[in-house]
Amino acid sequence: MSEKPIAEMSFEEAMGALEAVVTQLERGEVALEQSIALYERGAALKAHCAAKLKDAEEKVELIRAQEGRAVGTTPVEGL
Amino acid sequence: MDLFEDPPAQPGNQPEYTVSELSGAVKRVIEGEFGLVRVRGEVGRVSRPASGHLYFDLKDDRSVIAAISWKGQVAKMQTRPEEGMEVVATGRMTTFPGQSKYQLIVEDVAPAGAGALMAMLEKRRAALQAEGLFDPARKKPIPFLPGVIGVVTSPSGAVIRDILHRLRDRFPRRVLIWPVAVQGQACAPEVAAAIRGFNALPEGGAIPRPDLIIVARGGGSLEDLWGFNEEIVVRAAAASAIPLISAVGHETDTTLIDFASDRRAPTPTAAAEMAVPVRLELLAAVDGLGARIGTATVRGLGLRGQRLRDLSRALPRPETLTGTAAQRFDTAVQRLGGALGMAVARKRAAFEARGAGLRPEALRGLIARRGDRLEAQGARLLAALARRQERAVAAQDNWASRLAPALARLLARASGDIAVGRGRLDLLGQRLDAAPGRRLAQLAERLEATDRMRLTLGYRETLKRGYAVVRGDGAVVTGKADAERAAVLEIEFSDGRLVVGGGPAKPARGRKAGGPDQGSLF
């Protein structure tokens, strides 16, 4: 498992990795020791995915532009 | 009044104009008559020099009118005349006296009907496609879960509301709205600038760089949406490094930005759906996967345990492994005795079958036949031997008769050689006998002379003549002073040594000293 650390994964990457782990485990072709390691990795991936999903906050801002460049933002309410 | 003053120069009563007067008169007539006209025609050659004014021709199948739009008018135009375009131009007629030309000053140009506009759109689309801007290989994948979404649209109106509402339902995200005009003259440059502006945001800057851009506008007429057909918008969308979803108009409206975007959404709401997944579904999916990991692991362990139990049950007892072999062995032992008897019986039968043919009569007959053949051969052999002997005797006689004279010749030559050899041998023998005798006599003579010389030179001969050697403390004494100093003196005569004073001299020391000092006596 020489992939990038779970903490750096995007949601989609973590989700894909989690699915791969589940598939491997369900197919039951892995060695016993490896299945334990896979279980732990799966748990970590699941926690990472759940954290990403929890982080779902709406924030709407309006760009202030000058001559085609964004120079700041103004929060928008009530849209 | 001129009529009377200059009658010969006037062929009739026609007034005489200068060129400028006439040109001015024509100009007044034309401008007065055609102060505001709308002309329908096809746009011919178009040129726009650095001055910014636009010169073009309007034509139909028979006639051409030169047309001009001044720089300020061009800027306000909704539609730019392009060659081949069917337009209705609005303006006024005027003349250009310097070239005797009349021309139309065009204030506005409108495509002549939807068909013409569509034709122009199609032409532009084909040109941009030929450039490769719509190449499927350029399309970037839309991120699965963008962190920040940039929306290019009008900040007021239903569109942004629809998008935010749908995002909120699915997966609330951070949204940056870049406000633009979505119709009219300002639309295209603002939309293009917004797309470029989002792309210009640095990663990790104060304003977050969006992971996805949505360019959105509600439905409208072809003219309303025209800004999204403009080349600068299409090029900005194609050049965007950030994945871009276009959602302009209703499902049936297609604008050129849709071809250049990475994904086309039929409506702004659909764009929001493409932008983010449904959070609750993902939560459920993640939970489901987590549960499946647990189940799979437990089941995997259970299966292994079961398999282990099954295998250990299936392991056979040692007796069953050896049983078959033991039984085979026993059977073989039982069969061994009978088999030996049978084998002997079989060999005997074979022997008797062969032995039956071996009868004395047969042998005797064979011997008699061989005996006859032997006798016949023996008779032939004797005859042959007799013949052979006769031939041999004859040959021998022949050789013997030639041998005797040859031998006699050989003997004669040999006795001659022997006589010569014997003579030389005698001579050499005589020389040999004489040589050693002479040499020995010479050597004996030299030896004797040398010995005589030795005896004469030795000090012992001198002793015989009455001299003596005196030694003191082992060393030879040759003067009185040395003799007085010595504790013991030893005198050697020819017939022995005499010690004077002290004890007798040590013979070993005396002999040792005598050798090297011998020379001093002479």
Side-chain angles (χ1 to χ4, degrees):
Chain A
M1 302 263 169
S2 57
E3 293 166 12
K4 67 167 150 180
I6 291 172
E8 288 171 22
M9 283 186 180
S10 72
F11 177 82
E12 195 181 9
E13 287 168 333
M15 190 78 171
L18 181 58
E19 276 167 351
V21 165
V22 172
T23 310
Q24 266 185 296
L25 277 175
E26 286 184 340
R27 212 178 282 152
E29 285 167 1
V30 289
L32 184 64
E33 289 76 9
Q34 205 192 340
S35 75
I36 304 296
L38 272 178
Y39 175 82
E40 284 166 358
R41 180 175 160 79
L45 284 167
K46 190 206 152 188
H48 184 66
C49 285
K52 287 259 174 199
L53 290 178
K54 211 175 146 197
D55 168 33
E57 194 189 355
E58 184 188 83
K59 190 176 175 190
V60 182
E61 289 155 284
L62 208 56
I63 294 276
R64 280 185 280 116
Q66 272 175 14
E67 291 169 358
R69 302 201 73 82
V71 293
T73 60
T74 312
V76 177
E77 300 288 336
L79 267 179
Chain B
M1 51 187 165
D2 288 341
L3 293 173
F4 300 104
E5 283 174 8
D6 207 359
Q10 295 293 129
N13 61 349
Q14 298 291 332
E16 187 182 274
Y17 295 103
T18 65
V19 172
S20 294
E21 282 167 354
L22 185 56
S23 294
V26 171
K27 191 180 183 80
R28 277 193 300 279
V29 169
I30 287 182
E31 288 185 350
E33 194 67 28
F34 305 103
L36 175 67
V37 286
R38 295 181 74 227
V39 192
R40 183 180 181 130
E42 191 190 326
V43 178
R45 263 179 314 116
V46 179
S47 74
R48 191 173 190 186
S51 62
H53 311 314
L54 192 69
Y55 298 87
F56 57 100
D57 290 340
L58 283 174
K59 59 180 182 182
D60 60 15
D61 51 349
R62 276 171 300 173
S63 308
V64 177
I65 293 179
I68 304 172
S69 289
W70 306 120
K71 192 178 173 183
Q73 294 166 330
V74 174
K76 278 185 266 172
M77 274 183 188
Q78 279 271 2
T79 311
R80 288 271 169 79
E82 289 176 21
E83 190 169 345
M85 199 171 166
E86 188 79 15
V87 294
V88 177
T90 309
R92 60 192 168 83
M93 287 303 293
T94 185
T95 64
F96 181 43
Q99 282 186 358
S100 185
K101 275 177 78 176
Y102 61 95
Q103 54 200 17
L104 183 67
I105 305 295
V106 178
E107 276 156 20
D108 194 18
V109 171
L117 206 57
M118 291 307 285
M120 192 191 88
L121 192 62
E122 178 54 28
K123 203 174 142 201
R124 190 181 287 172
R125 192 193 66 76
L128 292 171
Q129 180 156 38
E131 251 186 74
L133 290 185
F134 306 154
D135 199 338
R138 294 177 63 114
K139 308 272 183 221
K140 296 170 286 297
I142 304 299
F144 182 73
L145 181 56
V148 179
I149 300 169
V151 182
V152 177
T153 190
S154 163
S156 56
V159 171
I160 187 65
R161 240 182 271 273
D162 286 350
I163 290 175
L164 290 176
H165 186 254
R166 187 48 60 97
L167 286 179
R168 208 170 289 143
D169 282 351
R170 290 170 70 87
F171 206 130
R173 298 277 78 184
R174 187 164 183 191
V175 177
L176 295 174
I177 303 168
W178 195 303
V180 292
V182 289
Q183 68 187 68
Q185 285 290 317
C187 172
E190 283 188 20
V191 170
I195 294 171
R196 285 196 294 262
F198 271 138
N199 274 283
L201 286 173
E203 202 85 53
I207 306 172
R209 180 182 162 96
D211 304 307
L212 174 71
I213 296 174
I214 298 175
V215 177
R217 190 209 188 279
S221 69
L222 184 58
E223 288 78 11
D224 288 342
L225 304 182
W226 195 252
F228 296 91
N229 287 322
E230 291 293 352
E231 204 174 318
I232 47 167
V233 172
V234 176
R235 288 192 186 280
S240 175
I242 301 172
L244 189 145
I245 299 176
S246 65
V248 176
H250 293 305
E251 184 146 17
T252 49
D253 302 325
T254 299
T255 51
L256 290 187
I257 192 178
D258 292 331
F259 292 100
S261 66
D262 296 306
R263 190 118 185 244
R264 185 216 169 195
T267 60
T269 303
E273 284 170 4
M274 288 174 186
V276 293
V278 179
R279 180 170 165 268
L280 287 177
E281 283 175 13
L282 289 179
L283 273 175
V286 169
D287 282 346
L289 286 173
R292 276 166 67 191
I293 286 187
T295 316
T297 309
V298 168
R299 196 168 54 99
L301 289 174
L303 280 175
R304 283 187 174 83
Q306 186 60 46
R307 179 128 182 79
L308 179 63
R309 282 190 292 281
D310 290 352
L311 283 174
S312 55
R313 258 204 299 283
L315 264 182
R317 288 192 309 281
E319 305 89 85
T320 56
L321 284 177
T322 56
T324 313
Q327 194 177 347
R328 279 180 60 200
F329 174 70
D330 289 345
T331 313
V333 169
Q334 279 165 11
R335 286 171 60 195
L336 192 60
L340 189 60
M342 267 165 65
V344 170
R346 244 199 333 269
K347 299 273 173 181
R348 174 168 294 150
F351 168 72
E352 280 168 359
R354 299 251 176 98
L358 274 179
R359 291 189 316 277
E361 296 81 41
L363 265 180
R364 242 176 253 131
L366 193 65
I367 289 168
R369 274 198 306 278
R370 295 276 161 93
D372 291 349
R373 273 182 67 194
L374 188 62
E375 272 172 38
Q377 303 265 12
R380 284 174 63 196
L381 190 63
L382 278 176
L385 264 177
R387 276 197 307 278
R388 182 89 186 262
Q389 202 172 4
E390 281 167 25
R391 268 205 307 277
V393 167
Q396 200 177 0
D397 290 350
N398 184 26
W399 281 111
S401 61
R402 287 167 62 187
L403 191 61
L407 266 177
R409 275 195 309 276
L410 205 59
L411 271 176
R413 229 179 12 244
S415 58
D417 287 352
I418 288 168
V420 173
R422 184 162 295 151
R424 283 179 61 196
L425 183 62
D426 288 348
L427 207 60
L428 284 170
Q430 279 161 19
R431 283 172 62 192
L432 189 61
D433 289 346
R438 246 191 345 265
R439 180 92 184 121
L440 277 176
Q442 274 170 10
L443 286 174
E445 208 172 301
R446 275 178 63 192
L447 180 62
E448 219 171 302
T450 310
D451 195 44
R452 269 196 309 276
M453 179 73 89
R454 183 188 69 86
L455 292 176
T456 321
L457 295 180
Y459 78 96
R460 285 186 201 275
E461 284 302 309
T462 315
L463 294 185
K464 285 180 187 164
R465 279 183 278 152
Y467 293 87
V469 176
V470 180
R471 291 184 178 86
D473 296 342
V476 174
V477 175
T478 53
K480 174 175 168 275
D482 289 344
E484 280 167 357
R485 233 178 320 198
V488 180
L489 289 175
E490 187 190 48
I491 303 168
E492 184 181 0
F493 300 97
S494 65
D495 57 346
R497 295 187 183 199
L498 172 70
V499 177
V500 183
K506 288 168 189 164
R509 275 180 78 186
R511 210 170 295 138
K512 195 179 171 189
D517 289 336
Q518 214 171 325
S520 68
L521 291 172
F522 301 99

